[in-house]
């Protein structure tokens, strides 16, 4: 097997020698769209010599064992709870079978690509990246690429409506990109938005210390770290494992967390944190342009650390957004951002114990093979001991567009990915205090790709029964349901470009919950225990009483009143908002005290 460890180089594109074995001629479609994904339009044909970095995801030989391990180390009732796997152990499970390696190498050679020249990107060997021309990619995938334009952003990408592989390779290859996934960073939605200013800088709402016993009504309009710390009972907890515990924030769309804005934010809202800094990590050409502060990036880091300080924070800036340039001899980096970010993280020996992502697409716009591959990569993070939170979306049950993209334009509730992935913790939105109620924007519903995981079955049963036949033609009642948790989603005071603005969306909810769980991870590390890792099996079982149940409000969409919050779990606010003190007590239960050994 000719697996190499160097960086990607240009593959030799010489004509392949005729082979007696014609196994590569029997081709079948791997994925196809019925119509151009919504929001995109055909623009032009790309030059035949335009270069693509073609990424091939090989079947992971023991992925079923990895998923089983994920559930075992994440289930507080299991003897393996907390026994997270090392990078090397995970790599051994996701490495491709030798037969898959041999088949792909033979296919590359058939197309004139010498595997010893087409350097393979190594994590566990399951991803291969080759640089080829559009013409070569079209021959390999029996397809035609085109330049597609996203009118609302002006973004242009090189994609195809379908691609094929030799039938033999279908059992060896999970996904190839860039092909049919149009969701590049320009079209991905950051789940946040600017709101009208809720308060002036001298408002009493900007108090830096609020009693959890007396949360003022103003916190339901103007949200600050003090409000959240009081609402979710973290005010008195002081992190101690700051050398070992860290929190990471995913950043795309040329969003840059600004250091000066962070200091201004700390000065105004968290004075004890003034002077502390965050680490900036650039991935795949990502930048750290301090002259271009980003509202989303600032929101994420300011509020996750506004709760979790002095926990160490890292912002991952993932690049890959240059526009298509037909005259350029440099390949447009059209690899999808999740793959770049996840491959980077999974290639590190140590990763943050808590991660937050505030970006998503409609699930139906993400090819199933791509979504499955990304979801399995989330599972790798979880089995290694990282808790990953993602926003559930800001469009209620409709996901922003209720019509299906299968050519029928049928109205359906549209789930959001990656919130719909069962190996990630999705966070919905609330608003108001005393009591909190569901925010009407809170994304939630049922996946059409992923079945409901066992950890949800008993907890969501009453909601499914109460829902009955209502909307039965609009959703997949057997799918993975989300969100799992919720937090405030409106009125957040964010410093951007030196000015305080008001921001809303579940982009605020996800880093808020991540901040709370970063403190729980700190507590466990101080006690000599393992970090929580993938938290869903825990929160749906012994820790399910550690949340404030949200019982009113609804998330409308698709011409309906949508789904409603109710007692117990619901598909608008999940199990509810976190109560740190309750969770802290529940995690001291004997069944969740496994140490690192």
């Amino acid at each position: 097997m000719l697996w190499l460890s160097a960086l990607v180089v240009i593959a030799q594109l010489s004509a392949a020698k005729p082979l007696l074995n014609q196994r590569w001629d029997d081709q079948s479609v791997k994925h196809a769209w019925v119509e151009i994904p919504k929001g995109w339009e055909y623009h032009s044909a790309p030059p035949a010599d335009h270069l693509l970095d073609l990424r091939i995801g090989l079947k992971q030989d023991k992925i079923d064992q990895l998923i089983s391990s994920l559930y075992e180390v994440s289930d507080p009732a299991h003897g393996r709870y907390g026994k997270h796997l090392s990078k090397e152990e995970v790599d051994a499970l996701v490495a491709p079978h030798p037969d898959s390696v041999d088949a792909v190498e033979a296919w590359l050679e058939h197309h004139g690509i010498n595997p010893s020249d087409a350097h393979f990107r190594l994590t566990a060997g399951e991803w291969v990246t080759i640089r080829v021309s559009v013409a070569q990619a079209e021959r390999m995938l029996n397809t035609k690429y085109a330049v597609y334009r996203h009118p609302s952003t002006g973004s242009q990408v090189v994609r195809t409506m379908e691609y094929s592989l030799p039938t033999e390779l279908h059992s060896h290859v999970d996904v190839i990109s860039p092909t049919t996934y149009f969701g590049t960073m320009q079209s991905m939605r950051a789940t946040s938005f600017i709101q009208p200013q809720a308060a002036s800088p001298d408002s009493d709402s900007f108090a830096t210390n609020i009693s959890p016993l007396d949360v003022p009504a103003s916190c339901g309009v103007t949200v600050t770290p003090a409000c959240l710390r009081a609402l979710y009972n973290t005010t008195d907890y002081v992190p101690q494992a700051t050398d070992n515990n860290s929190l990471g924030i995913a950043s795309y769309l040329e969003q840059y967390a600004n250091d000066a804005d962070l200091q201004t934010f700390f000065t105004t809202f968290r004075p004890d944190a003034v002077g502390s800094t965050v680490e900036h990590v650039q991935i795949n050409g990502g930048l750290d342009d301090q002259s271009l502060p980003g509202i989303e990036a600032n929101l994420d880091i300011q509020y996750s650390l506004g709760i979790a300080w002095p926990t160490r924070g890292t912002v991952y800036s993932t690049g890959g957004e240059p526009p298509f340039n037909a005259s350029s001899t440099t390949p447009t980096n059209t690899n999808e951002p999740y793959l770049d970010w996840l491959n980077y993280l999974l290639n590190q020996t140590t990763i943050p114990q808590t991660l937050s992502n505030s970006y998503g697409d409609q699930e139906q716009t993400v090819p199933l093979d791509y979504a499955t591959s990304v979801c399995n990569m989330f599972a790798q993070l979880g089995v290694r001991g990282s808790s990953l939170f993602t926003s559930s979306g800001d469009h209620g049950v409709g996901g922003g567009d209720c019509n299906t993209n299968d050519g029928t334009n049928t109205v359906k509730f549209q789930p959001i990915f990656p919130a719909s992935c069962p190996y990630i913790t999705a966070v919905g939105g609330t608003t108001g205090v005393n009591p909190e109620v569901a925010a009407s924007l809170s994304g939630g519903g049922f996946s059409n790709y992923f079945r409901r995981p066992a950890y949800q079955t008993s907890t969501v049963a009453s909601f499914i029964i109460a829902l009955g036949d209502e909307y039965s033609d609009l959703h997949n009642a057997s799918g993975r349901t989300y969100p799992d948790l919720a937090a405030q989603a409106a009125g957040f005071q964010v410093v951007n470009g030196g000015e305080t603005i008001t921001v809303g969306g579940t982009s605020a909810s996800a880093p808020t919950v991540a901040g709370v769980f970063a403190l729980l991870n700190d507590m466990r590390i101080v006690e000599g225990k393992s970090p929580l890792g993938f938290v869903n099996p825990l929160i749906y079982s012994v820790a399910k009483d550690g949340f404030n149940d949200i019982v009113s409000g609804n998330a409308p969409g698709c011409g309906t009143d949508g789904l409603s919050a109710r007692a117990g779990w619901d598909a608008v606010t999940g199990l509810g908002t976190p109560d740190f003190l309750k969770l802290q007590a529940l995690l001291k239960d004997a069944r969740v005290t496994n140490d690192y050994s």
Side-chain angles (χ1 to χ4, degrees), residues 384-558:
R384 286 183 56 183
S386 185
S387 305
L388 178 57
F389 300 90
T390 193
S391 51
S392 71
D394 293 345
H395 299 278
V397 296
D401 185 345
C402 298
N403 294 327
T404 61
N405 64 354
D406 58 2
T408 66
N409 283 321
T410 305
V411 173
K412 297 278 189 182
F413 292 166
Q414 295 299 333
I416 295 295
F417 181 83
S420 63
C421 170
Y423 312 134
I424 196 170
T425 305
V427 184
T430 61
T431 189
V433 296
N434 302 318
E436 290 182 86
V437 300
S440 60
L441 58 81
S442 184
F446 306 79
S447 173
N448 292 317
Y449 284 178
F450 304 104
R451 297 181 62 182
R452 182 172 305 123
Y455 62 74
Q456 283 192 314
T457 301
S458 61
T459 304
V460 307
S462 59
F463 179 82
I464 300 297
I465 292 171
L467 196 59
D469 293 332
E470 186 177 18
Y471 308 138
S472 61
D473 58 335
L474 297 179
H475 68 261
N476 173 28
S478 63
R480 184 276 206 264
T481 50
Y482 73 96
D484 304 296
L485 300 174
Q488 289 283 310
F492 279 60
Q493 302 305 293
V494 176
V495 176
N496 195 71
E499 301 293 329
T500 299
I501 61 175
T502 300
V503 179
T506 54
S507 271
S509 311
T512 295
V513 172
V516 174
F517 274 82
L519 297 182
L520 292 169
N521 275 326
D522 178 274
M523 177 197 75
R524 286 183 60 81
I525 292 171
V526 168
E527 294 175 349
K529 303 182 181 73
S530 63
L532 294 172
F534 176 50
V535 301
N536 288 15
L538 171 71
I539 64 177
Y540 280 94
S541 57
V542 300
K544 66 180 179 181
D545 292 328
F547 303 95
N548 307 307
D549 194 9
I550 309 302
V551 298
S552 62
N554 66 298
C558 304

Side-chain angles (χ1 to χ4, degrees), residues 30-31 163 174-176 180 366-374 449:
K30 180 69 173 169
H31 181 260
Y163 73 102
D174 278 330
V175 64
I176 294 182
T180 54
V366 183
L368 176 59
D369 53 5
Y370 179 88
T372 301
S373 293
V374 169
Y449 284 178

Side-chain angles (χ1 to χ4, degrees), residues 53-65:
D53 284 340
L54 203 64
R55 183 171 290 171
I56 305 167
L58 278 67
K59 294 282 185 183
Q60 299 167 326
D61 187 34
K62 299 176 182 177
I63 188 64
D64 290 342
Q65 291 183 36

Side-chain angles (χ1 to χ4, degrees), residues 119-318:
H119 293 266
F120 291 28
R121 183 216 179 275
L122 284 178
T123 299
E126 77 276 28
W127 288 98
V128 183
T129 304
I130 57 175
R131 184 164 294 175
V132 295
S133 67
V134 163
Q136 179 77 340
E138 290 178 342
R139 288 193 294 271
M140 295 173 69
L141 304 177
N142 191 29
T143 190
K144 292 295 291 184
Y145 277 86
V147 179
Y148 293 90
R149 182 175 178 272
H150 197 271
S152 66
T153 65
S155 177
Q156 295 181 8
V157 296
V158 179
R159 292 292 188 272
T160 180
M161 288 292 291
E162 69 173 45
Y163 73 102
S164 299
L165 287 173
T167 301
E168 177 183 331
L169 286 187
H170 282 243
S171 62
H172 297 296
V173 173
D174 278 330
V175 64
I176 294 182
S177 72
T179 51
T180 54
Y181 180 33
F182 282 63
T184 59
M185 287 176 285
Q186 284 257 8
S187 62
M188 287 170 61
R189 290 191 300 274
T191 49
S192 66
F193 52 89
I194 299 174
Q195 296 180 290
Q197 194 68 21
S200 60
D202 60 353
S203 168
D204 292 339
S205 301
F206 283 25
T208 58
N209 188 28
I210 296 173
S211 169
L213 300 177
D214 188 24
V215 181
S218 59
C219 283
V221 178
T222 304
V223 175
T224 66
C227 290
L228 297 175
R229 295 173 71 204
L231 274 171
Y232 304 139
N233 259 328
T234 72
T235 301
D236 296 328
Y237 184 81
V238 180
Q240 301 175 53
T242 53
D243 289 338
N244 300 317
N245 189 35
S246 66
L247 185 153
I249 298 295
S251 184
Y252 309 108
L253 290 166
E254 295 184 348
Q255 284 276 327
Y256 309 120
N258 185 270
D259 294 333
D261 285 342
L262 182 62
Q263 294 306 312
T264 302
F265 179 83
F266 283 156
T267 299
T268 306
F269 301 112
R270 190 76 201 260
D272 51 345
V274 171
S276 59
T277 60
V278 298
E279 181 182 4
H280 297 269
V281 174
Q282 290 81 52
I283 301 171
N284 187 35
L287 302 175
D288 177 26
D289 191 339
Q290 291 295 301
S291 68
L292 292 173
I295 294 172
E296 177 65 50
N298 277 344
L299 164 67
D300 291 345
I301 197 63
Q302 288 173 14
Y303 275 88
S304 58
L305 290 188
I307 293 172
W309 182 85
T311 302
R312 291 184 294 114
T314 301
V315 178
Y316 298 95
S317 176
T318 302

Side-chain angles (χ1 to χ4, degrees), residues 65-87:
Q65 291 183 36
L66 182 134
I67 300 303
S68 294
S69 292
L70 172 69
Y71 283 128
E72 290 174 358
V73 303
S74 307
D75 181 359
H78 197 280
R80 290 184 65 191
Y81 180 73
K83 309 294 187 182
H84 301 119
L85 305 188
S86 67
K87 176 184 182 299

